[in-house]
Amino acid sequence: MVYSIEVQDLIKRFGDYEAVAGINFSINKGEVFGLLGPNGAGKTTTIRMLATLLPPTSGRIFVEGLDVRRHGGLVRRLLGYVPQALSADGTLTGYENLLLFAKLLRLGKGERERRIDELLNLLNLQDAAHKLVREYSGGMVRRLEIGQAILHRPHILILDEPTVGLDPVARHTVWNTLKQLREETGLTILITTHYMEEAEATCRRVAIMNRGRIVAQGTPEELKRATGKPDATLEDVFTFYTGDQVETGGSFHELRKTRLRVQRFN
Ligand SMILES: Nc1ncnc2c1ncn2[C@@H]1O[C@H](COP(=O)(O)OP(=O)(O)O)[C@@H](O)[C@H]1O
Ligand SMILES: [Mg+2]
């Protein structure tokens, strides 16, 4: 069987620093796969290499069996990418943002209207279609960006921390949208996140990354079982594998607790 994505011994160095230190994983067609890890783990570097935006130092990446190094152009057509940074234009409406992408794709007028309409429905943005994006909530902007990324009907959607900075309700709508997309279109989804509860609820399999390496991978159930504690959560698994990281200023778990505490005081 050909995997949607297959990564073999992938390494990325920036000077002397090894940001991705030889990782292996594969993603099946139609799967939601979570790449989890604390800040600096190498998640963004990894998916930028998958998305052909950054050349690997060594190792190989196959997308639907195509070697990314040799078939970059073909691979790009199979992928949709939602970067962590804002990629929608706030001074345009949601509809206009999608139209811009559709025009870049050189779609004919009829096809443009059809696809945009379909996406606005799928992403639950019909009512906001003609409002300026700068008036959108964070969750709406993310959903629009997902629309931009799949307008060309890719087979695989890659999202980098799509729920960071969103409130819990918005985070929920983004995950729901992804679930619905997968069910209705059979998209393969690769997502990076550090929200363990969300990953646990939605990802069929996850890989936990720490300091450039994958330290555990499997279904959330498998990983939880491996801790030997019957009531372990994915958050416990994460802390177990990523440790305390005293020298980097505490584990993500600690960091997150601190952030939550800070939010409560604000
Ligand atoms: N262009 C770059 N030049 C030098 N170092 C980089 C560059 N991009 C990322 N890094 C470093 O690589 C490490 C992994 O970064 P990144 O992939 O962004 O991690 P994550 O997305 O998991 O937070 C970090 O220590 C980061 O500072
Ligand atoms: Mg990142």
Side-chain angles (χ1 to χ4, degrees):
M1 200 201 85
V2 177
Y3 292 110
S4 272
I5 292 180
E6 190 176 6
V7 170
Q8 296 176 348
D9 304 320
L10 187 63
I11 293 178
K12 181 67 189 184
R13 290 194 198 100
F14 297 109
D16 292 340
Y17 184 73
E18 211 164 48
V20 175
I23 60 170
N24 291 277
F25 64 90
S26 41
I27 305 178
N28 296 310
K29 191 172 180 307
E31 188 165 57
V32 179
F33 188 93
L35 190 59
L36 318 179
N39 281 325
K43 306 179 299 292
T44 298
T45 305
T46 300
I47 62 174
R48 293 192 72 217
M49 290 191 278
L50 299 185
T52 77
L53 300 171
L54 191 68
T57 303
S58 68
R60 298 177 84 181
I61 303 167
F62 298 93
V63 173
E64 294 191 354
L66 296 168
D67 188 329
V68 167
R69 234 175 358 188
R70 269 189 286 163
H71 303 283
L74 280 175
V75 165
R76 269 188 293 277
R77 267 180 259 163
L78 295 174
L79 299 177
Y81 177 59
V82 182
Q84 198 180 339
L86 209 64
S87 62
D89 187 337
T91 66
L92 301 177
T93 66
Y95 171 83
E96 287 165 342
N97 268 282
L98 289 170
L99 186 63
L100 195 66
F101 273 73
K103 286 186 172 171
L104 289 172
L105 288 174
R106 299 173 167 275
L107 298 176
K109 193 171 188 304
E111 185 61 19
R112 272 196 322 247
E113 296 301 325
R114 224 174 358 258
R115 286 200 201 183
I116 292 174
D117 209 46
E118 191 183 289
L119 281 175
L120 289 170
N121 273 306
L122 192 65
L123 301 169
N124 228 332
L125 288 171
Q126 311 92 314
D127 296 343
H130 298 289
K131 284 193 189 131
L132 290 182
V133 169
R134 64 165 175 250
E135 277 149 30
Y136 279 20
S137 69
M140 288 160 74
V141 174
R142 267 307 182 220
R143 298 202 311 269
L144 175 64
E145 290 173 327
I146 291 170
Q148 292 173 177
I150 62 174
L151 198 64
H152 64 296
R153 300 203 167 135
H155 297 178
I156 302 163
L157 177 61
I158 299 177
L159 306 104
D160 198 2
E161 309 244 17
T163 55
V164 161
L166 300 183
D167 64 60
V169 174
R171 293 196 334 231
H172 190 71
T173 66
V174 168
W175 281 100
N176 266 350
T177 302
L178 292 175
K179 262 194 225 171
Q180 193 191 341
L181 265 179
R182 199 201 69 82
E183 280 157 20
E184 289 178 19
T185 66
L187 260 179
T188 304
I189 298 177
L190 168 60
I191 186 162
T192 75
T193 181
H194 52 240
Y195 294 113
M196 293 304 124
E197 321 86 83
E198 298 177 1
E200 185 166 354
T202 315
C203 298
R204 207 186 76 77
R205 286 191 310 132
V206 299
I208 298 181
M209 217 176 159
N210 193 30
R211 300 179 186 176
R213 297 178 195 281
I214 290 179
V215 290
Q217 62 178 309
T219 65
E221 278 314 312
E222 285 164 354
L223 296 187
K224 287 191 282 181
R225 222 177 300 131
T227 65
K229 292 187 205 135
D231 56 349
T233 63
L234 199 56
E235 185 92 37
D236 298 328
V237 174
F238 188 72
T239 310
F240 178 78
Y241 284 107
T242 58
D244 266 346
Q245 297 184 39
V246 176
E247 65 273 40
T248 60
S251 70
F252 175 71
H253 190 70
E254 290 303 314
L255 190 69
R256 186 147 167 256
K257 272 200 284 201
T258 317
R259 281 208 195 128
L260 289 175
R261 236 176 273 134
V262 169
Q263 275 170 10
R264 255 178 245 132
F265 285 122
N266 282 342

